[in-house]
Amino acid sequence: SLFIDGSKRRAVQDEVTVALLLVFSEYFVVACIMDQVYTQIEPAKTFAKDSVRLVKRCTKPDRKEFQKIAIATAVGFAIMGFIGFFVKLIHIPINNIIIGG
């Protein structure tokens, strides 16, 4: 017949509801996974974009600028060397007093 009785209609409605729930639950699971992937990939994309922008803005230093950088680095090395030398110079007698060597 053209009409479905109440119990069959309810069973069909339940089957349709279950099917829709399965489809939508799969959709939401995929959406949640995509959100997690996006949150993991987005910082890497931003870092890559910023890095490319930095490299494009960088220029090779001219001779004068390079000399300034080299001198500043050499002075820094010398200062750190003297600090290390004086610390060691002070440490040796103190260590001999403590150990009694």
Side-chain angles (χ1 to χ4, degrees):
S1 75
L2 291 174
F3 298 104
I4 301 174
D5 63 350
S7 62
K8 286 184 180 180
R9 182 181 314 144
R10 185 68 186 153
V12 169
Q13 286 176 346
D14 289 343
E15 288 176 10
V16 169
T17 303
V18 168
L20 286 174
L21 285 174
L22 286 174
V23 168
F24 285 123
S25 65
E26 282 186 28
Y27 171 76
F28 288 123
V29 167
V30 169
C32 289
I33 291 172
M34 290 304 293
D35 285 343
Q36 291 174 352
V37 169
Y38 181 75
T39 57
Q40 295 297 320
I41 291 177
E42 185 59 29
K45 284 174 56 177
T46 304
F47 175 75
K49 189 184 298 183
D50 291 342
S51 298
V52 168
R53 188 177 342 145
L54 175 69
V55 170
K56 284 182 179 180
R57 289 189 66 183
C58 290
T59 58
K60 186 176 178 181
D62 59 356
R63 186 174 184 83
K64 186 177 178 181
E65 185 180 6
F66 179 77
Q67 284 179 339
K68 283 183 182 179
I69 293 169
I71 290 171
T73 304
V75 169
F77 270 99
I79 290 172
M80 292 302 290
F82 281 119
I83 289 172
F85 174 73
F86 287 119
V87 167
K88 188 69 172 178
L89 193 65
I90 294 169
H91 177 70
I92 290 172
I94 293 174
N95 197 20
N96 287 337
I97 292 171
I98 292 173
I99 294 176

